[in-house]
Amino acid sequence: MSAPVRWFVPGRIEVLGKHTDYAGGRTLVAAVDRGVTTTCTPVDGDGVIASSSAVPGELHLAAGTDPHLPAGHWGGYVQAVIDRLTDNFGPLAPCRLDVSSDLPLASGMSSSSALVSSVVLATADANGLTGSARWRRNVADEADLAQYLACFENGMSFKELAGAAGVGTFGGSEDHTAMVASRAGQLGQFRFCPIRLEKRVGFPADLALVVAVSGVAAEKTGAARDLYNRASLSTREILRLWNGATGRDDAVLANALEADPGAVELHSLVSGDDYLTRRLDHFLAESERIIPAATDALGSGDLEGFGAAVDESQEVAGSLLGNQVPQTVALARIARALGAVASCSFGAGFGGSVWAAVPGADAGVFADSWLRGYRAEFPVEAARATTLITAPGPSARRLD
């Protein structure tokens, strides 16, 4: 390591695809023009000095050493990166990591995943790991990179690169795929386990994406993390029942559907459990029907059809998946009443943000009206709410 290295990783908007990726399902995603920048600078001494523009002070971190930080502290994510890179590639050179972000925190725009990914890319690049034979052998393309970045959070092994504790969330690689495989002005429809691009569709140039941060934090800690993990682990339980009954060894729910296209046997296996039944029905609706319909409608210029598909996604997120709060439901409803082409909550759920597609020329006025309407129904949360205007942007990149 001889000179500072800077990497920018964007946040992302999950247009559609709530809790589908880790079960092998589809998502429709885009990177945005905001994100996290990490600068890795060589220093004398030992370990890693880490600082964030959002938090005063510095952290002194070392691989394999517990920094004793509170749950959810940003430094815990940096520690997880240092530990995993050291385990996978050997000791890191002493460095300073300076992190800055213009993403709203706990908003559903994947600020934590962008933080982790930017620290990984800057640190790996500065240490020469990305040019090593071991890296090239395991991280050969965008799909590999997205999957490996996700493993820093979920703790799973990837090819030759052994797993570790991660950060305690049992999610998939949708966020990371959007961050490293997006194209400006387009939405990407991806399928997962393994990651593969199904199609890209242009986002109308005269539309903007307005995001309302609800003021209800979408934290992946404590009780909220437990709810998030329940949604994830329930797909594993459905798969356990399926493999046990059929003698198969399918890895994800989407594999089981290949053998049971109408989900007749799957439904029979979970019929005695209301939550598992709703979880299965949500996956079938969101991944197998709604997302292809929305992508096709947008690709053909049918904005009314696109809006109708998005409306259904919002409805089944509440009635089947159960990851909505009254505030996000209200924001989507208010946006549509104000004339948005489409509007939907996104992210892990249990708070977070809602996006709305509106004419770019009207985006500022719309954002103000949206907040006023929200304030009338939820004055306490609206006091913490914010809006931003964005558009589908390019993927992660090194900054020279």
Side-chain angles (χ1 to χ4, degrees), residues 24-399:
R26 293 183 174 91
T27 66
L28 186 63
V29 291
V32 297
D33 57 2
R34 296 181 180 223
V36 178
T37 300
T38 295
T39 303
C40 184
T41 306
V43 297
D44 295 327
D46 298 313
V48 174
I49 302 169
S51 69
S52 167
S53 60
V55 182
E58 297 178 341
L59 300 175
H60 293 262
L61 308 173
T65 301
D66 186 349
H68 299 291
L69 297 170
H73 191 286
W74 70 274
Y77 293 89
V78 178
Q79 182 68 51
V81 171
I82 295 168
D83 289 343
R84 180 69 182 255
L85 283 177
T86 301
D87 287 347
N88 289 169
F89 294 95
L92 303 174
C95 67
R96 178 184 182 91
L97 295 172
D98 294 296
V99 179
S100 62
S101 174
D102 58 1
L103 277 176
L105 297 176
S107 66
M109 297 182 74
S110 297
S111 56
S112 60
S113 293
L115 166 63
V116 169
S117 298
S118 68
V119 172
V120 172
L121 291 170
T123 306
D125 188 351
N127 278 269
L129 306 183
T130 55
S132 69
R134 183 173 174 82
W135 182 284
R136 292 196 303 269
R137 198 164 57 244
N138 289 280
V139 187
D141 54 26
E142 290 178 339
D144 281 346
L145 178 58
Q147 187 66 59
Y148 184 47
L149 291 173
C151 290
F152 283 82
E153 297 184 51
N154 61 34
M156 296 177 66
S157 296
F158 180 68
K159 297 185 182 180
E160 301 171 30
L161 307 176
V167 300
T169 52
F170 304 129
S173 50
E174 172 206 281
D175 298 354
H176 315 81
T177 299
M179 291 170 183
V180 304
S182 286
R183 301 292 183 267
Q186 297 182 330
L187 309 182
Q189 180 180 303
F190 292 90
R191 189 130 201 169
F192 293 83
C193 304
I195 300 167
R196 62 262 196 209
L197 173 68
E198 290 190 326
K199 63 176 68 175
R200 298 190 192 275
V201 59
F203 189 76
D206 59 345
L207 294 183
L209 288 167
V210 182
V211 175
V213 183
S214 69
V216 181
E219 297 281 5
K220 288 186 182 177
T221 58
R225 186 180 70 182
D226 293 341
L227 290 170
Y228 174 88
N229 285 341
R230 184 190 184 199
S232 173
L233 294 172
S234 62
T235 63
R236 300 187 190 183
E237 176 60 16
I238 295 170
L239 193 65
R240 185 190 68 80
L241 294 171
W242 163 262
N243 283 336
T246 63
R248 292 172 62 90
D249 190 27
D250 290 322
V252 290
L253 184 55
N255 296 149
L257 285 171
E258 292 174 2
D260 185 21
V264 174
E265 188 167 357
L266 282 163
H267 273 114
S268 70
L269 291 170
V270 301
S271 60
D273 188 311
D274 180 64
Y275 182 78
L276 292 183
T277 297
R278 286 186 287 111
R279 187 69 186 87
L280 175 59
D281 285 341
H282 176 267
F283 182 85
L284 291 169
E286 182 84 349
S287 173
E288 306 306 300
R289 181 168 50 79
I290 293 172
I291 290 175
T295 303
D296 289 346
L298 191 60
S300 66
D302 178 9
L303 295 183
E304 184 176 346
F306 176 66
V310 172
D311 285 345
E312 185 179 3
S313 175
Q314 180 65 38
E315 193 279 323
V316 299
S319 63
L320 298 178
L321 182 59
N323 77 333
Q324 297 303 292
V325 294
Q327 293 85 350
T328 54
V329 173
L331 277 167
R333 171 176 47 79
I334 293 166
R336 288 290 267 160
L338 289 171
V341 168
S343 183
C344 199
S345 62
F346 65 98
F350 314 106
S353 298
V354 176
W355 64 264
V358 303
D362 303 329
V365 173
F366 174 89
D368 292 340
S369 299
W370 200 9
L371 273 186
R372 282 198 301 272
Y374 183 48
R375 192 176 300 119
E377 297 189 32
F378 293 96
V380 174
E381 293 83 352
R384 301 189 295 269
T386 58
T387 59
L388 61 92
I389 301 169
T390 187
S395 60
R397 52 205 178 271
R398 184 177 181 174
L399 303 177

